[in-house]
Amino acid sequence: MTAGAETTGVGPGRPRLEQRRRQGRTARAEILDAAAELFTANGYGNTSTRAVADAVGIRQASLYHHFAAKEDILDALLAETVAVPAPLAERLRTEAVPAVVRLYALAWYDVWQLCAARWNTAALYAIPELRTERFRRFRLRRDELRRQYETLAAATVDRSGATGVSAAIVLPFRLVETVVDIRSDEGDAPEWAVRAIPDAIIRMLGRPGELAEVRAQARAFLSACGIEFSDGA
Amino acid sequence: MTAGAETTGVGPGRPRLEQRRRQGRTARAEILDAAAELFTANGYGNTSTRAVADAVGIRQASLYHHFAAKEDILDALLAETVAVPAPLAERLRTEAVPAVVRLYALAWYDVWQLCAARWNTAALYAIPELRTERFRRFRLRRDELRRQYETLAAATVDRSGATGVSAAIVLPFRLVETVVDIRSDEGDAPEWAVRAIPDAIIRMLGRPGELAEVRAQARAFLSACGIEFSDGA
């Protein structure tokens, strides 16, 4: 989908330079949608707030009413990518289902939402700006999610009895994020990964064999949390 | 290590603005070293050829004598990251050792070289500029390496008899590259990954259990190729 490919009706209220072009029910959402597209397509450093305003069809001054600086737009976009899986990760902390099921459920939902996102916003994790003080809060939130993966992975490994696998507990979080690289390279969300990555995660933690039972339990658990989605199979 | 932390003696020949500051035996190598540091630390888009010349301690005009444009510097840096594992991948194509050993050897050496590289240059794979026509040749070379991983992974899976694992053959190449993200996040090469990632790759392809024998064979094979390195254990 390219910029300006869709036009919704002009809403009442604020004057606009031209027809609404972006997805989103509020000006703020439209700005985020346009910025996500431009940042991922052309690069964060190569995109001006002027270009974002133009893509929305608003004046630059109106954009500054919502976001004081380009960094604030980036911060809001990044926050969204972590905000989606975070509540599930939090809930999984205390659930009385086996760790392997909880880890599978988290990875499954997370890969799915990274595929389902309209733009590949998580590709922005790699830009050097994220290492600055401005993005410290985002880094802390992402670290929290990462630790949740590691805790669940450690519990999954411990119960399996396989040896030499403990160094792998850092890798499930990383393997989930490879979906972002695959999407960048292929230009399309890799639907097959929604199932293949959670499967691979459990196997690399030393639990081979059929995963049908783990998958069924994870599905039932997610369903009980009100989360339903296609499994990519 | 920060820019200018080391000073080598001024060589004979070309006049210089000041003392040599960079690693590298030729001006070209020094330019590449400085560019790799600046591109990875500050971003490709945020780095000018002037900044690279300044970091080397040469005039911008001298830099243009070696590289006509900033894109040519990036292309040379990227070529290096693929050039290291490529000859091994090529040789592995026809070797009479089991696929699981060949895959282990390739991943082991590749993770090691990504850790051992002076700068985390492979982090530049994520920048949008790489999707342009200018970098098509690089993309094709990286795709070749990726296909080699997939061929070896397919052969590894086929012989294990595990079911539902075939979707995972795309993932070993991706898991190897996570070392680049880990290095970016942690600011340091993750030595533990040199062993943990090849181990995880074999396990996620449905081959659980002890990997000591595979590792020993991979080491012997690499040694026969003249490749020796610390195994990160």
Side-chain angles (χ1 to χ4, degrees):
Chain A
M1 201 170 288
T2 56
E6 41 193 295
T7 355
T8 62
V10 181
R14 282 174 302 120
R16 283 180 171 267
L17 292 179
E18 39 190 313
Q19 291 264 314
R20 249 180 219 216
R21 313 181 166 159
R22 308 300 315 185
Q23 191 158 310
R25 288 188 307 170
T26 62
R28 185 187 151 87
E30 288 177 350
I31 292 166
L32 290 175
D33 183 60
E37 176 173 18
L38 294 174
F39 291 172
T40 52
N42 305 335
Y44 176 71
N46 300 330
T47 305
S48 63
T49 50
R50 171 66 190 269
V52 175
D54 285 351
V56 178
I58 59 173
R59 293 180 202 282
Q60 201 170 1
S62 310
L63 183 146
Y64 285 128
H65 177 69
H66 297 278
F67 297 98
K70 192 170 79 164
E71 289 184 330
D72 299 328
I73 305 179
L74 178 59
D75 198 35
L77 284 173
L78 293 169
E80 280 180 3
T81 66
V82 177
V84 179
L88 176 64
E90 191 49 46
R91 177 161 179 180
L92 286 170
R93 217 185 270 276
T94 53
E95 287 291 332
V97 290
V100 61
V101 173
R102 285 183 284 160
L103 178 60
Y104 194 98
L106 178 59
W108 202 2
Y109 179 59
D110 207 1
V111 174
W112 172 81
Q113 67 96 8
L114 288 168
C115 282
R118 187 162 134 84
W119 306 111
N120 198 17
T121 320
L124 299 168
Y125 290 168
I127 66 175
E129 283 83 351
L130 258 66
R131 296 196 292 267
T132 62
E133 181 58 28
R134 173 65 184 83
F135 295 98
R136 187 162 169 273
R137 207 168 55 108
F138 164 73
R139 289 200 307 274
L140 290 176
R141 292 196 62 195
R142 181 164 167 253
D143 282 350
E144 232 169 79
L145 178 62
R146 181 168 63 166
R147 267 197 304 276
Q148 263 291 75
Y149 270 100
E150 290 174 11
T151 302
L152 290 173
T156 299
V157 159
D158 284 343
R159 298 181 192 183
S160 75
T163 63
V165 194
S166 55
I169 67 165
V170 174
L171 299 176
F173 174 77
R174 299 294 175 178
L175 193 63
V176 164
E177 288 195 346
T178 63
V179 83
V180 177
D181 304 326
I182 299 170
R183 189 171 168 179
S184 280
D185 281 349
E186 299 185 356
D188 226 343
E191 301 295 340
W192 56 265
V194 175
R195 184 162 173 170
I197 287 181
D199 280 9
I201 283 174
I202 305 307
R203 291 202 171 99
M204 79 184 179
L205 292 173
R207 289 176 167 252
E210 291 307 326
L211 288 166
E213 183 55 31
V214 170
R215 203 179 293 124
Q217 287 182 53
R219 186 192 293 279
F221 171 73
L222 287 170
S223 193
C225 295
I227 298 172
E228 308 269 5
F229 55 88
S230 153
D231 71 349
Chain B
M1 201 170 289
T2 55
E6 40 191 301
T7 354
T8 62
V10 180
R14 282 174 302 117
R16 284 181 169 265
L17 292 179
E18 39 191 314
Q19 292 264 315
R20 250 180 218 215
R21 314 178 164 160
R22 309 297 317 184
Q23 192 158 310
R25 288 189 307 172
T26 62
R28 186 188 151 88
E30 287 177 350
I31 292 166
L32 290 175
D33 183 59
E37 176 174 18
L38 294 173
F39 291 172
T40 53
N42 305 335
Y44 176 71
N46 301 328
T47 305
S48 64
T49 50
R50 172 64 190 272
V52 175
D54 284 351
V56 178
I58 58 172
R59 294 179 200 283
Q60 201 171 1
S62 310
L63 183 146
Y64 286 128
H65 177 70
H66 297 279
F67 296 97
K70 194 170 77 163
E71 291 184 327
D72 299 328
I73 304 179
L74 177 60
D75 197 37
L77 284 173
L78 293 169
E80 279 181 2
T81 66
V82 177
V84 178
L88 176 63
E90 191 50 45
R91 177 160 177 178
L92 285 169
R93 216 185 272 276
T94 52
E95 285 292 330
V97 290
V100 63
V101 173
R102 285 183 284 160
L103 178 60
Y104 195 98
L106 178 59
W108 201 4
Y109 178 60
D110 206 1
V111 174
W112 172 82
Q113 68 95 8
L114 287 168
C115 283
R118 185 162 136 84
W119 306 110
N120 197 18
T121 319
L124 299 168
Y125 291 168
I127 66 174
E129 283 84 351
L130 257 66
R131 296 197 291 268
T132 61
E133 181 59 28
R134 173 64 184 83
F135 295 99
R136 187 163 169 273
R137 207 169 56 111
F138 164 73
R139 289 200 307 276
L140 290 176
R141 291 196 62 195
R142 181 164 167 252
D143 283 348
E144 231 170 80
L145 179 61
R146 180 168 63 166
R147 267 196 304 275
Q148 262 292 74
Y149 270 100
E150 291 174 12
T151 302
L152 291 172
T156 299
V157 159
D158 283 345
R159 297 182 192 182
S160 73
T163 63
V165 195
S166 55
I169 66 166
V170 174
L171 299 176
F173 174 77
R174 299 293 174 177
L175 193 64
V176 164
E177 288 195 347
T178 64
V179 84
V180 177
D181 304 326
I182 299 170
R183 189 170 168 179
S184 279
D185 281 349
E186 299 184 358
D188 226 343
E191 300 295 341
W192 55 265
V194 176
R195 182 159 172 173
I197 288 181
D199 279 9
I201 283 174
I202 305 307
R203 290 202 171 98
M204 79 184 180
L205 293 173
R207 288 175 167 251
E210 292 306 326
L211 289 165
E213 183 55 31
V214 170
R215 203 178 293 124
Q217 287 182 52
R219 186 191 293 279
F221 171 73
L222 287 169
S223 191
C225 294
I227 297 173
E228 307 267 5
F229 55 89
S230 152
D231 71 351

